Amino acid sequence: PTWQVQDKADANNVAYTTGKLCFHTDYPVLQHPPGVQLLHCIKQTAAGGESEVVDGFHVSNKLKKQNPQAYQILSSTAVDYTDVGVDYCDFAVQCKQRIIDVDSRGQAVRINYNNATRDTVFDIPAEKVRPFYAALKEFDDLLNSAEHKFTYKLKPGDIVTFDNWRVLHGRQSYQSGSEVTRHLEGAYADWDVVMSRLRLLRKSILNRT
């Protein structure tokens, strides 16, 4: 299934407005967020609407080096994500995620960060709240540093695909008009599906040779 990213009057998501989209990964509100995201540019606004991406693993490693305590906080604190609304169907989903998900060696394996769906509920001891937000601000500042982010503008016909577990994406704002001025069509794929398709493709190529 595909979904449409364009501004609309009854928007229930910042993505469906002309406003700025801050860096985020999609659907940390799900226990298993989509692994791969594809965006197809159908229509592009003349001014604004530039896309932005940043390597979450690179930024996480940098945070780990310059502030190990901040890294430890973000990789161990469970954050509530909640999303309720109507989009093709009624939905109400909730999940707890660590913003930096790590493996047994403490290495980042998935970034779960989306302020639009981060809940107001935050059930941690009061004395840990300030340290958490200080760590989150340092991480967010690194994400938005000109040194780390890459800005580009999609043209109609362009398709971009990226690792939703690693790459955070965003969008600069643009002017609204009397009609839709920017239109992207998106889709998701899970990593197990992608890898199985790649194995089949590799087998097919080897058989031909």
Side-chain angles (χ1 to χ4, degrees), residues 2-90:
T2 62
W3 31 269
Q4 313 305 313
V5 183
Q6 55 191 23
D7 59 286
K8 53 186 180 180
D10 57 343
N12 68 330
N13 188 305
V14 183
Y16 306 146
T17 71
T18 61
K20 175 180 173 61
L21 266 180
C22 297
F23 280 126
H24 65 283
T25 57
D26 276 16
Y27 282 107
V29 73
L30 300 179
Q31 185 177 359
H32 299 290
V36 180
Q37 183 169 164
L38 301 96
L39 290 171
H40 175 207
C41 180
I42 296 172
K43 190 175 184 179
Q44 182 61 277
T45 181
E50 287 83 358
S51 300
E52 297 183 319
V53 290
V54 59
D55 184 347
F57 287 0
H58 175 71
V59 169
S60 297
N61 289 334
K62 192 159 188 178
L63 179 68
K64 187 177 184 180
K65 289 179 181 177
Q66 72 181 35
N67 192 339
Q69 183 180 9
Y71 182 88
Q72 192 279 330
I73 290 172
L74 296 184
S75 61
S76 63
T77 305
V79 175
D80 286 275
Y81 286 100
T82 303
D83 200 8
V84 178
V86 180
D87 197 352
Y88 301 105
C89 65
D90 294 337

Side-chain angles (χ1 to χ4, degrees), residues 120-164:
T120 53
V121 173
F122 197 26
D123 56 348
I124 66 172
E127 65 274 11
K128 293 186 177 183
V129 172
R130 284 183 179 272
F132 171 83
Y133 279 106
L136 183 59
K137 182 181 185 304
E138 189 166 349
F139 180 64
D140 194 71
D141 286 346
L142 286 172
L143 290 174
N144 287 280
S145 167
E147 176 187 357
H148 300 136
K149 66 181 179 180
F150 178 71
T151 304
Y152 61 99
K153 190 161 185 172
L154 290 167
K155 298 187 295 293
D158 288 349
I159 297 178
V160 61
T161 180
F162 54 89
D163 183 346
N164 186 55

Side-chain angles (χ1 to χ4, degrees), residues 5 19 63 100 111 186 188 197 199 202:
V5 183
L63 179 68
I100 302 175
I111 307 298
Y188 296 122
R197 296 284 175 86
R199 283 193 291 269
R202 180 176 181 272

